[in-house]
Structures are given as C-alpha cells and as structure tokens.
Amino acid sequence: QVQLVESGGGLVQPGGSLRLSCAASGVTLRYCLVAWFRQAPGKEREGVSWVSSSDGSTNYADSVKGRFTISRDNAKNTVYLEMDSLGPEDTAVYYCAARPEPYSTTYYHHAHEYNYWGQGTQVTVSS
C-alpha cells in the first residue's frame, strides 16, 4: 500500500520560510516524478514544483521560481519543498504527488496525471 505523508505546514508571517516534507512508503520516490501542488480556496489545484526521476532535475512554476526549492533524499525516500519569501498569495493546502515513471525527464502539470497523493498540509501566510 502506497502512502505519501506531508508535514511541515503551518502559519508563517509574510517574508518567512517553511520546509514541507513528503515521506513515502510502498513506492520508491527516486523512480517517480514527484510534484508539489497547491490549492487555495475557490481555486483549482496547481502544480508548483517538480523533481524528475531521471537525474533529479527540477522545474518550477513562474509564481514560485526563485523562492521555492524542491529536493529529494533517496536514503529517506522523502521529497522536500523549501519555501522562502512567502507571501499571502502562497496560502493554500499543499499536496505532494507521485507518478511512477523511472528515468524520465517529463514534467506532468495536471493533477489527473499522478497516481499517488498525500493528504495535504495547510500553509497560511498572514501577519
């Protein structure tokens, strides 16, 4: 049984930082495309960051480029999202998602293209 468990969300002031974690069991993340999505109230779920299964290369949505960093720890089977310079527009529930596809450099941007999802973690940016 595959499980993705996110953690690290919370309340942070504008300009602050958070690090989200996505710990996996039942699937090896190094052989998956792993993405972080977010969904704000009343909005569609949007992808913000991706790490490929081939060489760990990364990709970011324009809205977070230069502020967010995705990384993967193969030994811990965990993917992280370091979020800096947070603003109110980053407030959302953040989800990690995985698509088993070894040795791939394709970044899938649509939620329905992913096989496994975590339960989500709330990030609120407010003073």
PDB file of all heavy atoms in Angstrom, residues 60-95:
ATOM      1  N   TYR A  60       9.924  24.573 -11.944  1.00  0.00           N
ATOM      2  CA  TYR A  60       9.110  25.397 -11.047  1.00  0.00           C
ATOM      3  C   TYR A  60       8.110  26.221 -11.841  1.00  0.00           C
ATOM      4  O   TYR A  60       8.390  26.652 -12.968  1.00  0.00           O
ATOM      5  CB  TYR A  60      10.005  26.361 -10.252  1.00  0.00           C
ATOM      6  CG  TYR A  60      11.005  25.662  -9.375  1.00  0.00           C
ATOM      7  CD1 TYR A  60      12.276  25.366  -9.845  1.00  0.00           C
ATOM      8  CD2 TYR A  60      10.663  25.274  -8.083  1.00  0.00           C
ATOM      9  CE1 TYR A  60      13.199  24.699  -9.048  1.00  0.00           C
ATOM     10  CE2 TYR A  60      11.578  24.616  -7.278  1.00  0.00           C
ATOM     11  CZ  TYR A  60      12.837  24.334  -7.766  1.00  0.00           C
ATOM     12  OH  TYR A  60      13.736  23.674  -6.970  1.00  0.00           O
ATOM     13  N   ALA A  61       6.961  26.432 -11.234  1.00  0.00           N
ATOM     14  CA  ALA A  61       6.018  27.378 -11.800  1.00  0.00           C
ATOM     15  C   ALA A  61       6.603  28.793 -11.683  1.00  0.00           C
ATOM     16  O   ALA A  61       7.354  29.086 -10.753  1.00  0.00           O
ATOM     17  CB  ALA A  61       4.694  27.301 -11.056  1.00  0.00           C
ATOM     18  N   ASP A  62       6.224  29.652 -12.615  1.00  0.00           N
ATOM     19  CA  ASP A  62       6.741  31.020 -12.603  1.00  0.00           C
ATOM     20  C   ASP A  62       6.439  31.733 -11.289  1.00  0.00           C
ATOM     21  O   ASP A  62       7.219  32.567 -10.826  1.00  0.00           O
ATOM     22  CB  ASP A  62       6.158  31.815 -13.769  1.00  0.00           C
ATOM     23  CG  ASP A  62       6.741  31.385 -15.107  1.00  0.00           C
ATOM     24  OD1 ASP A  62       7.793  30.722 -15.120  1.00  0.00           O
ATOM     25  OD2 ASP A  62       6.122  31.698 -16.142  1.00  0.00           O
ATOM     26  N   SER A  63       5.312  31.411 -10.692  1.00  0.00           N
ATOM     27  CA  SER A  63       4.882  32.106  -9.473  1.00  0.00           C
ATOM     28  C   SER A  63       5.774  31.824  -8.270  1.00  0.00           C
ATOM     29  O   SER A  63       5.749  32.576  -7.293  1.00  0.00           O
ATOM     30  CB  SER A  63       3.441  31.728  -9.146  1.00  0.00           C
ATOM     31  OG  SER A  63       3.321  30.331  -8.978  1.00  0.00           O
ATOM     32  N   VAL A  64       6.558  30.741  -8.336  1.00  0.00           N
ATOM     33  CA  VAL A  64       7.400  30.393  -7.183  1.00  0.00           C
ATOM     34  C   VAL A  64       8.880  30.335  -7.532  1.00  0.00           C
ATOM     35  O   VAL A  64       9.715  30.132  -6.639  1.00  0.00           O
ATOM     36  CB  VAL A  64       6.964  29.042  -6.562  1.00  0.00           C
ATOM     37  CG1 VAL A  64       5.474  29.066  -6.227  1.00  0.00           C
ATOM     38  CG2 VAL A  64       7.305  27.868  -7.471  1.00  0.00           C
ATOM     39  N   LYS A  65       9.205  30.509  -8.796  1.00  0.00           N
ATOM     40  CA  LYS A  65      10.589  30.407  -9.227  1.00  0.00           C
ATOM     41  C   LYS A  65      11.458  31.411  -8.473  1.00  0.00           C
ATOM     42  O   LYS A  65      11.117  32.583  -8.344  1.00  0.00           O
ATOM     43  CB  LYS A  65      10.660  30.644 -10.734  1.00  0.00           C
ATOM     44  CG  LYS A  65      11.922  30.132 -11.409  1.00  0.00           C
ATOM     45  CD  LYS A  65      11.781  30.203 -12.923  1.00  0.00           C
ATOM     46  CE  LYS A  65      10.748  29.237 -13.442  1.00  0.00           C
ATOM     47  NZ  LYS A  65      10.670  29.240 -14.932  1.00  0.00           N
ATOM     48  N   GLY A  66      12.583  30.924  -7.979  1.00  0.00           N
ATOM     49  CA  GLY A  66      13.493  31.776  -7.209  1.00  0.00           C
ATOM     50  C   GLY A  66      13.178  31.847  -5.729  1.00  0.00           C
ATOM     51  O   GLY A  66      13.981  32.348  -4.944  1.00  0.00           O
ATOM     52  N   ARG A  67      11.999  31.338  -5.338  1.00  0.00           N
ATOM     53  CA  ARG A  67      11.611  31.363  -3.917  1.00  0.00           C
ATOM     54  C   ARG A  67      11.473  29.954  -3.337  1.00  0.00           C
ATOM     55  O   ARG A  67      11.712  29.767  -2.143  1.00  0.00           O
ATOM     56  CB  ARG A  67      10.277  32.096  -3.748  1.00  0.00           C
ATOM     57  CG  ARG A  67      10.286  33.530  -4.222  1.00  0.00           C
ATOM     58  CD  ARG A  67       8.997  34.241  -3.843  1.00  0.00           C
ATOM     59  NE  ARG A  67       7.818  33.635  -4.455  1.00  0.00           N
ATOM     60  CZ  ARG A  67       6.789  33.137  -3.761  1.00  0.00           C
ATOM     61  NH1 ARG A  67       6.804  33.149  -2.429  1.00  0.00           N
ATOM     62  NH2 ARG A  67       5.745  32.630  -4.397  1.00  0.00           N
ATOM     63  N   PHE A  68      11.065  29.002  -4.152  1.00  0.00           N
ATOM     64  CA  PHE A  68      10.856  27.627  -3.691  1.00  0.00           C
ATOM     65  C   PHE A  68      11.970  26.742  -4.245  1.00  0.00           C
ATOM     66  O   PHE A  68      12.441  26.938  -5.366  1.00  0.00           O
ATOM     67  CB  PHE A  68       9.518  27.076  -4.182  1.00  0.00           C
ATOM     68  CG  PHE A  68       8.303  27.671  -3.518  1.00  0.00           C
ATOM     69  CD1 PHE A  68       8.371  28.806  -2.726  1.00  0.00           C
ATOM     70  CD2 PHE A  68       7.059  27.073  -3.700  1.00  0.00           C
ATOM     71  CE1 PHE A  68       7.242  29.338  -2.129  1.00  0.00           C
ATOM     72  CE2 PHE A  68       5.916  27.591  -3.100  1.00  0.00           C
ATOM     73  CZ  PHE A  68       6.013  28.728  -2.326  1.00  0.00           C
ATOM     74  N   THR A  69      12.344  25.726  -3.448  1.00  0.00           N
ATOM     75  CA  THR A  69      13.347  24.754  -3.879  1.00  0.00           C
ATOM     76  C   THR A  69      12.867  23.360  -3.533  1.00  0.00           C
ATOM     77  O   THR A  69      12.571  23.076  -2.365  1.00  0.00           O
ATOM     78  CB  THR A  69      14.699  25.013  -3.192  1.00  0.00           C
ATOM     79  OG1 THR A  69      15.131  26.355  -3.452  1.00  0.00           O
ATOM     80  CG2 THR A  69      15.748  24.044  -3.714  1.00  0.00           C
ATOM     81  N   ILE A  70      12.787  22.506  -4.538  1.00  0.00           N
ATOM     82  CA  ILE A  70      12.404  21.109  -4.323  1.00  0.00           C
ATOM     83  C   ILE A  70      13.661  20.258  -4.293  1.00  0.00           C
ATOM     84  O   ILE A  70      14.623  20.516  -5.034  1.00  0.00           O
ATOM     85  CB  ILE A  70      11.426  20.624  -5.424  1.00  0.00           C
ATOM     86  CG1 ILE A  70      10.844  19.264  -5.071  1.00  0.00           C
ATOM     87  CG2 ILE A  70      12.082  20.608  -6.790  1.00  0.00           C
ATOM     88  CD1 ILE A  70       9.700  18.814  -5.996  1.00  0.00           C
ATOM     89  N   SER A  71      13.667  19.258  -3.422  1.00  0.00           N
ATOM     90  CA  SER A  71      14.811  18.361  -3.331  1.00  0.00           C
ATOM     91  C   SER A  71      14.336  16.978  -2.919  1.00  0.00           C
ATOM     92  O   SER A  71      13.217  16.814  -2.416  1.00  0.00           O
ATOM     93  CB  SER A  71      15.853  18.901  -2.348  1.00  0.00           C
ATOM     94  OG  SER A  71      15.309  18.995  -1.046  1.00  0.00           O
ATOM     95  N   ARG A  72      15.199  16.001  -3.131  1.00  0.00           N
ATOM     96  CA  ARG A  72      14.836  14.612  -2.821  1.00  0.00           C
ATOM     97  C   ARG A  72      15.978  13.963  -2.064  1.00  0.00           C
ATOM     98  O   ARG A  72      17.143  14.110  -2.432  1.00  0.00           O
ATOM     99  CB  ARG A  72      14.563  13.858  -4.121  1.00  0.00           C
ATOM    100  CG  ARG A  72      14.024  12.447  -3.949  1.00  0.00           C
ATOM    101  CD  ARG A  72      13.772  11.812  -5.317  1.00  0.00           C
ATOM    102  NE  ARG A  72      15.016  11.589  -6.038  1.00  0.00           N
ATOM    103  CZ  ARG A  72      15.115  11.632  -7.367  1.00  0.00           C
ATOM    104  NH1 ARG A  72      14.065  11.896  -8.106  1.00  0.00           N
ATOM    105  NH2 ARG A  72      16.272  11.410  -7.940  1.00  0.00           N
ATOM    106  N   ASP A  73      15.641  13.254  -0.997  1.00  0.00           N
ATOM    107  CA  ASP A  73      16.601  12.464  -0.217  1.00  0.00           C
ATOM    108  C   ASP A  73      16.284  10.995  -0.470  1.00  0.00           C
ATOM    109  O   ASP A  73      15.308  10.465   0.079  1.00  0.00           O
ATOM    110  CB  ASP A  73      16.494  12.816   1.264  1.00  0.00           C
ATOM    111  CG  ASP A  73      17.562  12.132   2.111  1.00  0.00           C
ATOM    112  OD1 ASP A  73      17.982  11.015   1.769  1.00  0.00           O
ATOM    113  OD2 ASP A  73      17.952  12.707   3.132  1.00  0.00           O
ATOM    114  N   ASN A  74      17.085  10.369  -1.313  1.00  0.00           N
ATOM    115  CA  ASN A  74      16.795   8.975  -1.687  1.00  0.00           C
ATOM    116  C   ASN A  74      16.901   8.036  -0.488  1.00  0.00           C
ATOM    117  O   ASN A  74      16.124   7.070  -0.382  1.00  0.00           O
ATOM    118  CB  ASN A  74      17.744   8.527  -2.793  1.00  0.00           C
ATOM    119  CG  ASN A  74      17.510   9.275  -4.091  1.00  0.00           C
ATOM    120  OD1 ASN A  74      16.420   9.771  -4.345  1.00  0.00           O
ATOM    121  ND2 ASN A  74      18.538   9.353  -4.918  1.00  0.00           N
ATOM    122  N   ALA A  75      17.834   8.285   0.401  1.00  0.00           N
ATOM    123  CA  ALA A  75      18.009   7.410   1.561  1.00  0.00           C
ATOM    124  C   ALA A  75      16.781   7.428   2.472  1.00  0.00           C
ATOM    125  O   ALA A  75      16.422   6.415   3.080  1.00  0.00           O
ATOM    126  CB  ALA A  75      19.248   7.820   2.332  1.00  0.00           C
ATOM    127  N   LYS A  76      16.132   8.585   2.548  1.00  0.00           N
ATOM    128  CA  LYS A  76      14.955   8.718   3.412  1.00  0.00           C
ATOM    129  C   LYS A  76      13.653   8.548   2.638  1.00  0.00           C
ATOM    130  O   LYS A  76      12.571   8.586   3.234  1.00  0.00           O
ATOM    131  CB  LYS A  76      14.965  10.083   4.101  1.00  0.00           C
ATOM    132  CG  LYS A  76      16.114  10.261   5.085  1.00  0.00           C
ATOM    133  CD  LYS A  76      16.027  11.599   5.794  1.00  0.00           C
ATOM    134  CE  LYS A  76      17.155  11.745   6.812  1.00  0.00           C
ATOM    135  NZ  LYS A  76      17.109  13.042   7.526  1.00  0.00           N
ATOM    136  N   ASN A  77      13.764   8.383   1.307  1.00  0.00           N
ATOM    137  CA  ASN A  77      12.578   8.251   0.461  1.00  0.00           C
ATOM    138  C   ASN A  77      11.607   9.404   0.713  1.00  0.00           C
ATOM    139  O   ASN A  77      10.392   9.209   0.903  1.00  0.00           O
ATOM    140  CB  ASN A  77      11.881   6.902   0.694  1.00  0.00           C
ATOM    141  CG  ASN A  77      11.053   6.453  -0.500  1.00  0.00           C
ATOM    142  OD1 ASN A  77      11.315   6.849  -1.648  1.00  0.00           O
ATOM    143  ND2 ASN A  77      10.071   5.623  -0.246  1.00  0.00           N
ATOM    144  N   THR A  78      12.171  10.594   0.713  1.00  0.00           N
ATOM    145  CA  THR A  78      11.428  11.799   1.077  1.00  0.00           C
ATOM    146  C   THR A  78      11.756  12.919   0.094  1.00  0.00           C
ATOM    147  O   THR A  78      12.904  13.053  -0.345  1.00  0.00           O
ATOM    148  CB  THR A  78      11.778  12.232   2.506  1.00  0.00           C
ATOM    149  OG1 THR A  78      11.411  11.195   3.418  1.00  0.00           O
ATOM    150  CG2 THR A  78      11.051  13.510   2.900  1.00  0.00           C
ATOM    151  N   VAL A  79      10.747  13.697  -0.238  1.00  0.00           N
ATOM    152  CA  VAL A  79      10.909  14.894  -1.058  1.00  0.00           C
ATOM    153  C   VAL A  79      10.554  16.105  -0.208  1.00  0.00           C
ATOM    154  O   VAL A  79       9.604  16.058   0.585  1.00  0.00           O
ATOM    155  CB  VAL A  79      10.034  14.823  -2.317  1.00  0.00           C
ATOM    156  CG1 VAL A  79       9.981  16.165  -3.041  1.00  0.00           C
ATOM    157  CG2 VAL A  79      10.566  13.758  -3.270  1.00  0.00           C
ATOM    158  N   TYR A  80      11.325  17.158  -0.389  1.00  0.00           N
ATOM    159  CA  TYR A  80      11.136  18.372   0.396  1.00  0.00           C
ATOM    160  C   TYR A  80      10.757  19.541  -0.505  1.00  0.00           C
ATOM    161  O   TYR A  80      11.090  19.560  -1.698  1.00  0.00           O
ATOM    162  CB  TYR A  80      12.422  18.720   1.139  1.00  0.00           C
ATOM    163  CG  TYR A  80      12.909  17.639   2.057  1.00  0.00           C
ATOM    164  CD1 TYR A  80      13.886  16.735   1.646  1.00  0.00           C
ATOM    165  CD2 TYR A  80      12.396  17.510   3.341  1.00  0.00           C
ATOM    166  CE1 TYR A  80      14.347  15.736   2.475  1.00  0.00           C
ATOM    167  CE2 TYR A  80      12.841  16.507   4.184  1.00  0.00           C
ATOM    168  CZ  TYR A  80      13.817  15.624   3.747  1.00  0.00           C
ATOM    169  OH  TYR A  80      14.250  14.629   4.580  1.00  0.00           O
ATOM    170  N   LEU A  81      10.098  20.524   0.079  1.00  0.00           N
ATOM    171  CA  LEU A  81       9.851  21.788  -0.602  1.00  0.00           C
ATOM    172  C   LEU A  81      10.226  22.901   0.371  1.00  0.00           C
ATOM    173  O   LEU A  81       9.537  23.125   1.365  1.00  0.00           O
ATOM    174  CB  LEU A  81       8.398  21.929  -1.036  1.00  0.00           C
ATOM    175  CG  LEU A  81       8.098  23.173  -1.864  1.00  0.00           C
ATOM    176  CD1 LEU A  81       8.794  23.093  -3.231  1.00  0.00           C
ATOM    177  CD2 LEU A  81       6.587  23.353  -2.057  1.00  0.00           C
ATOM    178  N   GLU A  82      11.344  23.550   0.075  1.00  0.00           N
ATOM    179  CA  GLU A  82      11.780  24.699   0.864  1.00  0.00           C
ATOM    180  C   GLU A  82      11.135  25.939   0.261  1.00  0.00           C
ATOM    181  O   GLU A  82      11.300  26.221  -0.929  1.00  0.00           O
ATOM    182  CB  GLU A  82      13.301  24.819   0.823  1.00  0.00           C
ATOM    183  CG  GLU A  82      13.866  25.988   1.607  1.00  0.00           C
ATOM    184  CD  GLU A  82      13.800  25.768   3.124  1.00  0.00           C
ATOM    185  OE1 GLU A  82      13.989  24.619   3.556  1.00  0.00           O
ATOM    186  OE2 GLU A  82      13.582  26.760   3.845  1.00  0.00           O
ATOM    187  N   MET A  83      10.409  26.682   1.088  1.00  0.00           N
ATOM    188  CA  MET A  83       9.660  27.841   0.616  1.00  0.00           C
ATOM    189  C   MET A  83      10.165  29.075   1.348  1.00  0.00           C
ATOM    190  O   MET A  83      10.075  29.147   2.578  1.00  0.00           O
ATOM    191  CB  MET A  83       8.160  27.653   0.857  1.00  0.00           C
ATOM    192  CG  MET A  83       7.603  26.368   0.264  1.00  0.00           C
ATOM    193  SD  MET A  83       5.818  26.237   0.422  1.00  0.00           S
ATOM    194  CE  MET A  83       5.649  26.148   2.199  1.00  0.00           C
ATOM    195  N   ASP A  84      10.687  30.026   0.604  1.00  0.00           N
ATOM    196  CA  ASP A  84      11.219  31.269   1.163  1.00  0.00           C
ATOM    197  C   ASP A  84      10.425  32.455   0.626  1.00  0.00           C
ATOM    198  O   ASP A  84       9.714  32.356  -0.364  1.00  0.00           O
ATOM    199  CB  ASP A  84      12.703  31.410   0.800  1.00  0.00           C
ATOM    200  CG  ASP A  84      13.545  30.302   1.367  1.00  0.00           C
ATOM    201  OD1 ASP A  84      13.339  29.930   2.533  1.00  0.00           O
ATOM    202  OD2 ASP A  84      14.427  29.796   0.644  1.00  0.00           O
ATOM    203  N   SER A  85      10.600  33.583   1.284  1.00  0.00           N
ATOM    204  CA  SER A  85       9.932  34.836   0.871  1.00  0.00           C
ATOM    205  C   SER A  85       8.443  34.623   0.644  1.00  0.00           C
ATOM    206  O   SER A  85       7.885  35.045  -0.380  1.00  0.00           O
ATOM    207  CB  SER A  85      10.600  35.390  -0.393  1.00  0.00           C
ATOM    208  OG  SER A  85      11.970  35.630  -0.183  1.00  0.00           O
ATOM    209  N   LEU A  86       7.824  33.972   1.589  1.00  0.00           N
ATOM    210  CA  LEU A  86       6.402  33.634   1.440  1.00  0.00           C
ATOM    211  C   LEU A  86       5.532  34.877   1.511  1.00  0.00           C
ATOM    212  O   LEU A  86       5.814  35.823   2.270  1.00  0.00           O
ATOM    213  CB  LEU A  86       5.987  32.634   2.510  1.00  0.00           C
ATOM    214  CG  LEU A  86       6.494  31.206   2.283  1.00  0.00           C
ATOM    215  CD1 LEU A  86       6.401  30.393   3.561  1.00  0.00           C
ATOM    216  CD2 LEU A  86       5.707  30.533   1.170  1.00  0.00           C
ATOM    217  N   GLY A  87       4.481  34.871   0.720  1.00  0.00           N
ATOM    218  CA  GLY A  87       3.504  35.947   0.729  1.00  0.00           C
ATOM    219  C   GLY A  87       2.105  35.399   0.883  1.00  0.00           C
ATOM    220  O   GLY A  87       1.890  34.179   0.774  1.00  0.00           O
ATOM    221  N   PRO A  88       1.137  36.255   1.138  1.00  0.00           N
ATOM    222  CA  PRO A  88      -0.251  35.795   1.320  1.00  0.00           C
ATOM    223  C   PRO A  88      -0.756  34.983   0.136  1.00  0.00           C
ATOM    224  O   PRO A  88      -1.611  34.096   0.321  1.00  0.00           O
ATOM    225  CB  PRO A  88      -1.029  37.108   1.475  1.00  0.00           C
ATOM    226  CG  PRO A  88      -0.040  38.082   2.007  1.00  0.00           C
ATOM    227  CD  PRO A  88       1.263  37.709   1.369  1.00  0.00           C
ATOM    228  N   GLU A  89      -0.238  35.249  -1.056  1.00  0.00           N
ATOM    229  CA  GLU A  89      -0.672  34.517  -2.240  1.00  0.00           C
ATOM    230  C   GLU A  89      -0.228  33.058  -2.218  1.00  0.00           C
ATOM    231  O   GLU A  89      -0.689  32.251  -3.035  1.00  0.00           O
ATOM    232  CB  GLU A  89      -0.135  35.198  -3.512  1.00  0.00           C
ATOM    233  CG  GLU A  89       1.368  35.128  -3.693  1.00  0.00           C
ATOM    234  CD  GLU A  89       2.137  36.191  -2.932  1.00  0.00           C
ATOM    235  OE1 GLU A  89       1.533  36.896  -2.101  1.00  0.00           O
ATOM    236  OE2 GLU A  89       3.354  36.317  -3.201  1.00  0.00           O
ATOM    237  N   ASP A  90       0.652  32.704  -1.324  1.00  0.00           N
ATOM    238  CA  ASP A  90       1.104  31.319  -1.194  1.00  0.00           C
ATOM    239  C   ASP A  90       0.232  30.507  -0.238  1.00  0.00           C
ATOM    240  O   ASP A  90       0.459  29.296  -0.075  1.00  0.00           O
ATOM    241  CB  ASP A  90       2.559  31.282  -0.698  1.00  0.00           C
ATOM    242  CG  ASP A  90       3.523  31.936  -1.673  1.00  0.00           C
ATOM    243  OD1 ASP A  90       3.445  31.612  -2.879  1.00  0.00           O
ATOM    244  OD2 ASP A  90       4.334  32.772  -1.231  1.00  0.00           O
ATOM    245  N   THR A  91      -0.726  31.147   0.385  1.00  0.00           N
ATOM    246  CA  THR A  91      -1.632  30.441   1.285  1.00  0.00           C
ATOM    247  C   THR A  91      -2.449  29.419   0.517  1.00  0.00           C
ATOM    248  O   THR A  91      -3.115  29.747  -0.472  1.00  0.00           O
ATOM    249  CB  THR A  91      -2.567  31.437   1.989  1.00  0.00           C
ATOM    250  OG1 THR A  91      -1.787  32.291   2.841  1.00  0.00           O
ATOM    251  CG2 THR A  91      -3.613  30.707   2.820  1.00  0.00           C
ATOM    252  N   ALA A  92      -2.378  28.166   0.959  1.00  0.00           N
ATOM    253  CA  ALA A  92      -3.063  27.074   0.264  1.00  0.00           C
ATOM    254  C   ALA A  92      -2.819  25.774   1.027  1.00  0.00           C
ATOM    255  O   ALA A  92      -1.983  25.731   1.939  1.00  0.00           O
ATOM    256  CB  ALA A  92      -2.535  26.926  -1.165  1.00  0.00           C
ATOM    257  N   VAL A  93      -3.546  24.750   0.639  1.00  0.00           N
ATOM    258  CA  VAL A  93      -3.205  23.391   1.057  1.00  0.00           C
ATOM    259  C   VAL A  93      -2.203  22.856   0.042  1.00  0.00           C
ATOM    260  O   VAL A  93      -2.448  22.923  -1.173  1.00  0.00           O
ATOM    261  CB  VAL A  93      -4.438  22.487   1.144  1.00  0.00           C
ATOM    262  CG1 VAL A  93      -4.026  21.069   1.543  1.00  0.00           C
ATOM    263  CG2 VAL A  93      -5.449  23.041   2.136  1.00  0.00           C
ATOM    264  N   TYR A  94      -1.097  22.348   0.536  1.00  0.00           N
ATOM    265  CA  TYR A  94      -0.036  21.835  -0.329  1.00  0.00           C
ATOM    266  C   TYR A  94      -0.063  20.309  -0.305  1.00  0.00           C
ATOM    267  O   TYR A  94      -0.141  19.688   0.766  1.00  0.00           O
ATOM    268  CB  TYR A  94       1.322  22.348   0.147  1.00  0.00           C
ATOM    269  CG  TYR A  94       1.566  23.786  -0.249  1.00  0.00           C
ATOM    270  CD1 TYR A  94       0.867  24.816   0.374  1.00  0.00           C
ATOM    271  CD2 TYR A  94       2.471  24.121  -1.257  1.00  0.00           C
ATOM    272  CE1 TYR A  94       1.064  26.144   0.006  1.00  0.00           C
ATOM    273  CE2 TYR A  94       2.674  25.435  -1.626  1.00  0.00           C
ATOM    274  CZ  TYR A  94       1.968  26.442  -0.991  1.00  0.00           C
ATOM    275  OH  TYR A  94       2.163  27.754  -1.363  1.00  0.00           O
ATOM    276  N   TYR A  95       0.001  19.729  -1.499  1.00  0.00           N
ATOM    277  CA  TYR A  95      -0.032  18.285  -1.672  1.00  0.00           C
ATOM    278  C   TYR A  95       1.215  17.816  -2.415  1.00  0.00           C
ATOM    279  O   TYR A  95       1.653  18.480  -3.359  1.00  0.00           O
ATOM    280  CB  TYR A  95      -1.238  17.871  -2.516  1.00  0.00           C
ATOM    281  CG  TYR A  95      -2.582  18.257  -1.968  1.00  0.00           C
ATOM    282  CD1 TYR A  95      -3.158  19.486  -2.284  1.00  0.00           C
ATOM    283  CD2 TYR A  95      -3.307  17.383  -1.156  1.00  0.00           C
ATOM    284  CE1 TYR A  95      -4.398  19.849  -1.789  1.00  0.00           C
ATOM    285  CE2 TYR A  95      -4.551  17.732  -0.665  1.00  0.00           C
ATOM    286  CZ  TYR A  95      -5.093  18.964  -0.983  1.00  0.00           C
ATOM    287  OH  TYR A  95      -6.328  19.304  -0.495  1.00  0.00           O
TER     288      TYR A  95
END
